[in-house]
Amino acid sequence: MYDPTVARLTYRALLGRRRALILGALPLLLIVISVAVRALTGADDQTASDVLGGFALATMVPIIGVIAGTGAIGPEIDDGSVVYLLSKPLKRPAIIFTKLIVAIAVTMVFSAVPTLIAGLILNGNGQQVAVAYTVAALISSIAYSALFLLLGTVSRHAVVFGLVYALVWEALFGSLVPGARTLSVQQWSLAVAHKLAGGDLITSDVSLPTATVLLVAVTVLATWYAGQKLRSLTLAGEE
């Protein structure tokens, strides 16, 4: 299910000079903000939780997920170069799975690692805040990558739709409409972070069992459907 050649080509596409600069901008901003906050307020657990939850998990992780998930396949479909890949004797689900692994790895590196560093800067991992948000970033990276890879497979406007989901649905509606939070990757990952940190610093509107089921279901279904759409794209091209 994992093809090294497809993975190498996908890494090369995602980590090109321009896209790498975009991927690195938000993590760098998070580190700068964390250093400034620590210098101004000192080590404070609540402040650390606010910064990591409000910027790292709510903004940085989904945007990086959009860039990595859609960028893993969207540009190839847009410019038609995916035809050369599909002409190879590779199973379509294997192509999707390989690209998903690459998107997850890139999202994790550019989101979870900076989250951990920022957490250590902010409060030295007091009350396990840094570790909890890092694990949440790792988990949400998987779900976001699967969702946005699917978007990249089915739509030429995947980046726009991904940003709408990440910044409008999760950030705006999630803060205003309680029911919308149940369908939020951010809330699902926060349920795991709440379990790790304990106490009331990190909260979620979704229980841990529900969050676990939804995370697994969304990741598996999005990956499966992306494979089906790629297969139908091949058939359409052959016809």
Side-chain angles (χ1 to χ4, degrees):
M1 290 295 291
Y2 181 85
D3 186 88
T5 301
V6 174
R8 184 172 63 254
L9 294 174
T10 307
Y11 275 119
R12 185 180 301 172
L14 285 179
L15 299 179
R17 181 175 301 178
R18 182 165 55 180
R19 187 169 275 117
L21 289 175
I22 297 174
L23 286 169
L26 285 175
L28 179 60
L29 180 58
L30 173 64
I31 300 300
V32 171
I33 291 173
S34 301
V35 171
V37 170
R38 177 61 184 267
L40 293 173
T41 65
D44 181 77
D45 295 340
Q46 185 61 59
T47 301
S49 181
D50 291 342
V51 173
L52 295 179
F55 183 79
L57 198 62
T59 302
M60 182 184 73
V61 180
I63 290 179
I64 291 176
V66 169
I67 297 171
T70 61
I73 195 169
E76 291 178 305
I77 294 178
D78 291 341
D79 63 20
S81 61
V82 71
V83 173
Y84 297 100
L85 180 61
L86 297 178
S87 66
K88 304 300 180 182
L90 295 171
K91 293 182 178 180
R92 306 308 176 245
I95 295 174
I96 290 295
F97 182 77
T98 301
K99 288 181 173 295
L100 175 62
I101 295 300
V102 174
I104 290 173
V106 171
T107 306
M108 285 182 171
V109 169
F110 283 92
S111 61
V113 173
T115 298
L116 177 60
I117 295 173
L120 294 175
I121 292 172
L122 287 165
N123 76 332
N125 196 37
Q127 297 195 49
Q128 296 294 310
V129 169
V131 170
Y133 275 108
T134 299
V135 173
L138 290 170
I139 291 173
S140 58
S141 293
I142 299 173
Y144 281 133
S145 296
L147 278 173
F148 299 139
L149 180 64
L150 172 60
L151 281 178
T153 306
V154 302
S155 174
R156 292 182 178 272
H157 307 289
V159 174
V160 175
F161 290 137
L163 290 176
V164 167
Y165 172 80
L167 301 180
V168 177
W169 176 264
E170 292 207 339
L172 182 59
F173 283 93
S175 62
L176 299 177
V177 184
R181 299 170 190 166
T182 306
L183 301 177
S184 167
V185 174
Q186 177 187 342
Q187 290 296 323
W188 304 341
S189 60
L190 281 173
V192 179
H194 171 72
K195 180 67 175 180
L196 292 174
D200 298 324
L201 277 176
I202 304 175
T203 60
S204 174
D205 293 329
V206 183
S207 66
L208 182 58
T210 301
T212 302
V213 171
L214 289 173
L215 282 165
V216 173
V218 165
T219 302
V220 172
L221 289 175
T223 305
W224 172 81
Y225 191 60
Q228 297 303 307
K229 293 301 292 184
L230 191 63
R231 180 176 295 161
S232 67
L233 176 66
T234 306
L235 293 175
E238 291 172 350
E239 294 173 355

